[in-house]
Amino acid sequence: MGRIRITGGIPLDGEVRIQGSKNAALPIMAAALLNRGTTVLKGCPRIADVFLMEKILQGLGARTRWRKDTLEICARDLDNCMADRELGEKMRSSIVLMGSLLGRCGEGILPFPGGCVIGARPIDLHLEALERLGAEFKEEKGCLRGKTRGLHGGEIFFPRSSVGATQNAVLGAVCARGTTVIRGGSAEPEVSWLCRFLNQAGGQIRGIGTSCLVIQGVSGLHDTVFQIPPDRIAAGTYVCASAITRGKGILLDPPAGEMGALLSAYEKIGGQYMYKSGKLFLCSQRAFAPLRRLETGIYPGFPTDLQSIFLAALTCARGESLIIENIFEDRFKVVPQLQKMGAQITLDGQAARIRGGRLSGALVKAQELRGGAALVVAGLGAEGETCVENREFIERGYEDISRDLNCLGAKTQKD
Ligand code: EPZ
């Protein structure tokens, strides 16, 4: 497995363009199956999870082509409805293909998505929502098989917010017969971007950005060229990188409008920022106060995907901070690795108490995507050199975190 070496103690000061959003691109790629033509996605992030989803689509019969960061998907002729098991098992978000496959083929066979280090990650809300639209599910040889005689509109109520389940429900409803009303749906930006894509491709979805979506089923989608939005989690990662090094930095074309909770927390620890003409100017030279209490929550709350990364930054604050994780049941897995670097963190269930101090470079292991990014950020603030193993986890969501951080003036290298 690859490594990233980081030389700590260099205040960042440079500029970096923000890559396309992983969590917007993946469901939109699945949605391309609903168009019996060609879908063009501009600004698509060249990351491992996108390449994996691309392979799965090819296995279903779609043809794909890259031109720089533009991905073309032609789903005119699908030749089967069963996602490659080995590929699907590598990425639990492949479950979002179910809504599209049921809408396109009336059937879908996917590997059961396992849990991962951040939690059990069940799919009950996905299945219940699609059943409301006329799907039936059963387990066959370790796979999940969904079938329908034709999806129809229905009333869906989510008792708990789920990004993926809302996306699956939207994908099942957009070409169903009749109208679907979704209540209690996730209002995360990545759900809104999927809905915007679908409407641009001929869908009829109202209530975008709210937890109540009204979807008028259409006969099918048409060709479209869509710009994938910038990645708010990658952008937030680089804000934390500026903070921990007490440096500066300019982010080019970040989704600043989707980063309110992160930027508010950044200000609370002493960060200063200005957003002007598509550029986010950061100044962390006055950082670094602790944060008395930070809770993750559904949008527009503080994103769970930035929890580990902000936690890493707080290990260098002047005082004690508290983070509460409300979305996933096990999202402090990175803590023992941070403790190897000298971080003083005490865990108590869903709470992490962080006593700020100094970090020392060490050899640490990434175990999942955002925890891996957190270790890289910690390395920027540590004394000496840090080596993060299992770089492949980080490459699932970041095109090239080393390249991006070096654009911001860091000294990192892959090996
Ligand atoms: C999406 O995962 C993102 N992944 C995650 O980002 C992100 O952390 C998460 O949303 C929350 O914002 C992608 O978009 C590919 P959920 P998803 O369904 O859809 C429970 C990253 O690092 N739940 O909103 O799987 C679930 O266990 C990844 O980029 C059920 O109980 O998240 C969790 O506790 C990590 N039953 C909570 O809901 C279900 O059927 C939120 O999960 C589904 C979910």
Side-chain angles (χ1 to χ4, degrees):
M1 297 276 258
R3 295 175 162 197
I4 296 182
R5 291 179 188 285
I6 304 106
T7 302
I10 304 171
L12 297 192
D13 189 1
E15 62 179 42
V16 67
R17 182 161 300 283
I18 301 302
Q19 69 175 59
S21 164
K22 163 177 100 77
N23 291 348
L26 293 173
I28 289 172
M29 290 172 73
L33 294 178
L34 290 165
N35 168 25
R36 296 171 189 269
T38 300
T39 298
V40 177
L41 304 178
K42 298 173 73 173
C44 202
R46 300 182 67 88
I47 55 177
D49 275 11
V50 164
F51 296 138
L52 200 50
M53 181 65 92
E54 181 190 9
K55 283 201 179 76
I56 293 171
L57 296 182
Q58 290 168 347
L60 295 165
R63 282 177 290 112
T64 64
R65 181 172 70 158
W66 283 93
R67 281 181 293 136
K68 293 204 176 93
D69 66 351
T70 296
L71 173 62
E72 287 180 14
I73 301 168
C74 177
R76 190 180 312 285
D77 313 301
L78 296 187
D79 47 36
N80 78 88
C81 62
M82 179 173 184
D84 178 284
R85 180 167 187 165
E86 193 190 333
L87 295 175
E89 280 173 344
K90 286 182 182 164
M91 183 174 65
R92 36 163 294 101
S93 53
S94 54
I95 185 69
V96 83
L97 284 160
M98 185 57 81
S100 289
L101 286 169
L102 289 169
R104 170 71 187 263
C105 317
E107 188 177 9
I109 302 168
L110 299 173
F112 258 107
C116 66
V117 291
I118 64 175
R121 306 194 66 185
I123 57 168
D124 53 315
L125 299 174
H126 295 247
L127 305 185
E128 286 157 20
L130 290 168
E131 282 164 353
R132 300 286 295 167
L133 305 182
E136 292 171 358
F137 296 100
K138 60 182 177 189
E139 182 172 348
E140 269 182 14
K141 304 187 193 99
C143 283
L144 173 69
R145 183 190 199 106
K147 283 186 79 101
T148 178
R149 283 194 293 277
L151 293 177
H152 54 70
E155 299 262 336
I156 295 171
F157 170 68
F158 285 110
R160 301 188 306 282
S161 177
S162 162
V163 174
T166 306
Q167 291 168 337
N168 241 335
V170 168
L171 290 167
V174 70
C175 297
R177 271 191 335 279
T179 301
T180 297
V181 179
I182 295 174
R183 290 189 178 82
S186 162
E188 301 291 304
E190 294 72 30
V191 173
S192 300
W193 284 109
L194 171 65
C195 294
R196 293 187 192 108
F197 164 77
L198 290 168
N199 279 355
Q200 186 175 305
Q204 291 184 25
I205 303 170
R206 286 180 288 120
I208 296 176
T210 75
S211 60
C212 179
L213 295 171
V214 179
I215 303 167
Q216 175 65 45
V218 295
S219 56
L221 301 183
H222 54 64
D223 291 6
T224 191
V225 178
F226 190 76
Q227 179 73 42
I228 296 293
D231 192 311
R232 64 190 174 111
I233 306 303
T237 302
Y238 302 144
V239 172
C240 293
S242 166
I244 200 170
T245 63
R246 294 174 177 70
K248 294 163 66 178
I250 303 172
L251 306 188
L252 305 179
D253 288 334
E258 297 171 356
M259 297 171 64
L262 181 272
L263 291 172
S264 158
Y266 173 62
E267 275 188 319
K268 284 184 186 143
I269 61 173
Q272 296 169 297
Y273 72 90
M274 180 182 69
Y275 180 63
K276 193 161 172 284
S277 327
K279 293 183 179 181
L280 184 63
F281 298 86
L282 304 170
C283 177
S284 312
Q285 288 159 332
R286 283 179 26 195
F288 208 128
L291 202 45
R292 213 169 48 76
R293 184 182 180 91
L294 176 71
E295 295 213 34
T296 63
I298 62 174
Y299 191 80
F302 190 92
T304 175
D305 289 353
L306 282 173
Q307 179 260 98
S308 310
I309 298 160
F310 205 85
L311 183 152
L314 289 173
T315 63
C316 295
R318 280 192 311 274
E320 185 162 304
S321 305
L322 178 70
I323 290 185
I324 312 278
E325 169 59 50
N326 292 315
I327 305 293
F328 286 106
E329 67 271 24
D330 203 359
R331 204 161 199 178
F332 290 126
K333 268 286 190 312
V334 71
V335 165
Q337 298 298 315
L338 289 171
Q339 288 168 332
K340 280 171 73 176
M341 300 174 72
Q344 298 171 64
I345 304 169
T346 315
L347 294 181
D348 176 10
Q350 293 299 99
R353 198 170 291 284
I354 306 114
R355 188 182 307 284
R358 308 177 76 84
L359 295 180
S360 307
L363 173 62
V364 289
K365 284 184 191 317
Q367 293 169 285
E368 40 86 23
L369 166 55
R370 305 303 175 186
L375 292 171
V376 174
V377 167
L380 295 171
E383 279 163 32
E385 183 174 89
T386 296
C387 183
V388 180
E389 293 190 313
N390 304 336
R391 185 180 80 215
E392 288 69 17
F393 281 115
I394 303 172
E395 289 167 344
R396 293 192 57 168
Y398 295 83
E399 279 185 339
D400 189 338
I401 197 168
S402 178
R403 169 202 71 193
D404 287 356
L405 289 171
N406 292 351
C407 286
L408 283 168
K411 190 163 173 263
T412 72
Q413 69 182 66
K414 296 183 289 189
D415 58 29

